[in-house]
Amino acid sequence: MSISGIQGHVLEVTVVGCSKLKDTEWISRQDPYVCLEYASTKFRTRTCTDGGKNPSFQEKFVFTLIEGLRELNVIVWNSNTLTFDDFIGSGKVQLQKVLSQGYDDSPWSLQTKTGRYAGEVRLIMHYAGANLQKPPKNYAPSAPPSPYVAPQVPQSSYYAPPPPATSAGHYPPQAPAGHYPPPHSAYPPPPSAYPPPSPYHSYPPDSSAYPPSPYPPQPAAYPPQPYPPPSGYPPSSYPPSSQPSPFYPPGPYPGMYPRPPH
């Protein structure tokens, strides 16, 4: 989240206490206090008499934020009556979390002048401007993603696929502009009112496929047969002969047959 535009806003810092402080006294218990510095603004807590290594303060201070300055200095001292105060430790407090989230209660480490560990200081920081930078939540929550994945339907292209890549410097010739293959139709062709042509030849067959017959016809190799063809039996004469037939009994008159009864 962006934390720009903090100029003039208010930051509240509460000094809760310290823990595991370096002990600067040999005989009695030390009397620590905490100093906070932000730019030219400085605050000091009360002295926790006989606070020792784990003093408690519970004091709140208010800082006016400056654009571009996101660091707070904290210094812990031991109060002395007759001599100068003893330096216990110092540290830097980063403000990125409190400026973006509006709240931070993390402990911060302290170090001596030689960089050794000198204890921790506990701060609680509040920044009301973080709520003003949050986007409004008056929109409906988005629906959870559906587990169903729609199948991908291959789409036919109106243009021919590009030719395969060849070696560098050699490209296939390009087709002249304005000539594209016909688009693929998405519907079957309409039925025709006439049957499709047969792959076979029509009947009667083409006479050109056969050799022409000679005209006039060639004479036969044998003499023509008489018509009607001769019979295997001798021809009968007409009128019939008056001699009796050997196949019938003789009648009352030679060459005649009895009349059929009525």
Side-chain angles (χ1 to χ4, degrees):
M1 179 186 298
S2 175
I3 54 176
S4 60
I6 63 174
Q7 180 69 32
H9 290 197
V10 175
L11 176 66
E12 297 180 357
V13 180
T14 300
V15 181
V16 179
C18 299
S19 61
K20 304 177 183 179
L21 290 179
K22 174 187 174 182
D23 195 353
T24 58
E25 294 288 344
W26 295 95
I27 301 175
S28 61
R29 294 171 62 90
Q30 62 184 1
D31 305 321
Y33 64 92
V34 178
C35 295
L36 300 177
E37 298 180 359
Y38 180 77
S40 59
T41 305
K42 299 181 181 180
F43 292 101
R44 179 189 183 278
T45 64
R46 60 176 178 85
T47 300
C48 183
T49 305
D50 296 333
K53 295 182 179 181
N54 301 297
S56 178
F57 302 100
Q58 297 294 338
E59 296 185 41
K60 183 172 66 174
F61 305 96
V62 177
F63 294 89
T64 302
L65 294 174
I66 300 175
E67 188 67 38
L69 183 58
R70 296 177 175 86
E71 189 176 80
L72 184 70
N73 295 325
V74 56
I75 306 172
V76 180
W77 297 85
N78 174 36
S79 178
N80 291 322
T81 305
L82 300 178
T83 60
F84 293 102
D85 295 344
D86 298 323
F87 174 81
I88 297 177
S90 64
K92 294 183 180 297
V93 178
Q94 304 299 325
L95 305 179
Q96 281 81 357
K97 181 178 179 180
V98 64
L99 295 179
S100 60
Q101 300 181 9
Y103 179 82
D104 188 5
D105 61 347
S106 305
W108 302 92
S109 298
L110 302 173
Q111 294 181 351
T112 63
K113 293 180 180 180
T114 59
R116 294 184 179 182
Y117 178 77
E120 294 179 348
V121 59
R122 175 76 181 277
L123 305 178
I124 296 178
M125 297 182 288
H126 291 271
Y127 175 58
N131 297 328
L132 301 177
Q133 298 178 3
K134 293 181 180 180
K137 297 183 179 181
N138 53 358
Y139 52 86
S142 59
S146 174
Y148 173 76
V149 179
Q152 297 183 356
V153 180
Q155 299 180 358
S156 61
S157 174
Y158 288 98
Y159 304 98
T166 58
S167 60
H170 299 278
Y171 298 94
Q174 298 182 357
H179 296 276
Y180 298 96
H184 301 281
S185 176
Y187 303 93
S192 176
Y194 301 94
S198 175
Y200 304 99
H201 297 287
S202 60
Y203 186 85
D206 190 3
S207 60
S208 62
Y210 301 93
S213 59
Y215 185 85
Q218 299 292 333
Y222 300 93
Q225 298 293 331
Y227 185 83
S231 177
Y233 298 94
S236 60
S237 60
Y238 187 83
S241 177
S242 60
Q243 295 181 3
S245 175
F247 300 98
Y248 296 94
Y253 301 95
M256 300 181 64
Y257 295 95
R259 299 176 61 182
H262 296 285

